[in-house]
Amino acid sequence: MSKNIGRRSMLRSMLATTAGLGVARYVDYLPFSALKAAQSEKLEKPKLRFGVVTDSHSANYKRGGSRRYTESLMKMTECVEVMDDHEDVEFLIELGDFIDGHSPTPPDCLEKIEDVFTGFNGPHYHVLGNHCHDDFSKEQFLGHIKNTGFDSAAGHYSVDHGGIHFVVLDANYRGDGEPYDSGNFNWTDANIPEAQVDWLRNDLNNAELPAIIFIHQCLDGSGSHYVENAAEVRKVLEEYGKTLTVFQGHNHSGAYRRIEGIHYYTLKAMVVGSGEENNSYALVEVNPEYIAVKGYRRAVGREMEIKGIPEPV
Ligand SMILES: [Zn+2]
């Protein structure tokens, strides 16, 4: 037995213990849905599976409060290993605040967590968060990361996988249109500039597939954790009738809301709490009539009904 397999089976039994009955390794708060998901795993193959994680805030310093910056390398390692354990995970995406700022050696910190994250055996994608710009300009941060299939990383982009159109948005712009750059911003002043809203409109208009959106700051309301022009962006998503779900980070407690038929799922932050039991990441299954979020550790499981995905002709 190789060292690697030994570590994985240890991880597997550890997770099974955490989940309690051993029916499934994920935590699911909806009655019957764990059983339903376990059955569906056997009976019908989901159309698509992908992994999602957010707010790792990886840094080489300790600070008070509930955030454990140095533990995110360990927590991300577990996330990548669990995703690799499932052979059919199409890709892994992180939803921003990948690192935390004010560290003595930020490029080194970014390289370390990027090394762990890109160790996933499949395509991997990034979403930009406010803390990604604590010590970096957009260009500097993007220069240190890779999004599979792209020559150079970008803040907003779209990519198709398994019959779904995935759109990544970047709200790390001030109200005056200036991009976030090395702490030149107030974190509550998050905006999607008009040029990007136009790009989104055009992208969704041309999309021939149902869409799933990824963004760091939240779109499903108003207040400090929300994008200032969230209502305008939601209108665009609603207008084309193609958006199934929006996955968000930033609000470390996690949340869920449904507006005009679109699900807004906010994943809990990886950085909060000490120890492997306080990790958070999820496996998302897109099925023809529902999207199932299988939350690992503290991440919340949820099933989100969708109108149905037409089979390609
Ligand atoms: Zn954030």
Side-chain angles (χ1 to χ4, degrees):
M1 185 188 284
S2 78
K3 211 172 162 189
N4 192 34
I5 291 170
R7 201 178 65 222
R8 282 202 180 177
S9 38
M10 247 171 67
L11 180 71
R12 206 173 287 131
S13 58
M14 195 169 75
L15 289 168
T17 311
T18 311
L21 296 175
V23 175
R25 286 177 288 142
Y26 48 86
V27 182
D28 200 315
Y29 295 126
L30 293 182
F32 306 117
S33 57
L35 183 62
K36 193 175 156 195
Q39 282 172 344
S40 78
E41 230 171 352
K42 282 184 206 150
L43 299 176
E44 59 175 276
K45 209 169 149 31
K47 189 176 171 63
L48 170 75
R49 271 189 174 134
F50 62 88
V52 60
V53 55
T54 192
D55 291 80
S56 47
H57 289 253
S58 189
N60 59 7
Y61 63 95
K62 293 183 182 173
R63 204 160 67 182
S66 57
R67 300 178 187 188
R68 297 291 182 271
Y69 304 99
T70 55
E71 293 188 27
S72 283
L73 285 172
M74 171 272 287
K75 289 176 177 175
M76 190 66 84
T77 302
E78 178 188 298
C79 164
V80 166
E81 289 190 355
V82 167
M83 294 304 153
D84 270 342
D85 246 6
H86 293 81
E87 279 175 18
D88 52 355
V89 178
E90 187 91 8
F91 63 86
L92 177 61
I93 187 162
E94 64 88 13
L95 303 184
D97 286 359
F98 197 40
I99 54 164
D100 207 277
H102 317 298
S103 159
T105 51
D108 179 50
C109 273
L110 179 49
E111 279 154 21
K112 277 186 190 159
I113 190 81
E114 175 76 352
D115 267 2
V116 174
F117 181 71
T118 57
F120 170 67
N121 187 23
H124 39 81
Y125 302 103
H126 293 274
V127 179
L128 294 179
N130 46 307
H131 282 286
C132 302
H133 300 90
D134 282 343
D135 293 305
F136 292 111
S137 70
K138 214 169 278 297
E139 290 68 31
Q140 286 167 337
F141 187 88
L142 293 170
H144 282 90
I145 58 163
K146 282 201 164 54
N147 289 323
T148 303
F150 293 88
D151 289 339
S152 55
H156 63 276
Y157 55 96
S158 61
V159 62
D160 293 349
H161 274 284
I164 303 286
H165 185 65
F166 293 93
V167 182
V168 172
L169 296 175
D170 176 8
N172 299 289
Y173 292 86
R174 302 190 317 208
D176 64 3
E178 279 299 306
Y180 285 9
D181 181 353
S182 313
N184 70 341
F185 58 91
N186 177 331
W187 69 272
T188 61
D189 183 26
N191 299 267
I192 297 192
E194 278 313 302
Q196 194 180 143
V197 176
D198 286 344
W199 171 88
L200 174 65
R201 212 173 263 125
N202 194 42
D203 184 80
L204 285 178
N205 187 33
N206 293 332
E208 289 174 357
L209 299 167
I212 289 179
I213 315 294
F214 299 114
I215 184 165
H216 180 68
Q217 293 91 341
C218 302
L219 284 174
D220 54 328
S222 58
S224 55
H225 283 96
Y226 297 89
V227 175
E228 290 284 335
N229 58 334
E232 181 192 13
V233 177
R234 284 201 308 271
K235 231 175 157 185
V236 174
L237 300 182
E238 290 156 14
E239 197 180 320
Y240 294 96
K242 295 172 185 172
T243 303
L244 306 172
T245 305
V246 177
F247 286 95
Q248 326 174 121
H250 196 46
N251 172 2
H252 289 188
S253 325
Y256 168 79
R257 200 170 284 168
R258 191 174 192 185
I259 304 171
E260 295 291 327
I262 298 175
H263 303 276
Y264 293 81
Y265 178 98
T266 308
L267 180 62
K268 285 188 178 183
M270 175 175 265
V271 72
V272 176
S274 184
E276 55 206 12
E277 66 274 22
N278 280 309
N279 205 342
S280 170
Y281 52 94
L283 185 63
V284 180
E285 283 189 1
V286 181
N287 292 282
E289 282 162 4
Y290 67 99
I291 293 176
V293 178
K294 299 181 170 187
Y296 285 81
R297 304 299 195 178
R298 290 185 310 103
V300 177
R302 178 170 285 276
E303 279 184 15
M304 302 180 283
E305 181 197 351
I306 53 176
K307 271 181 282 179
I309 300 172
E311 282 302 315
V313 278

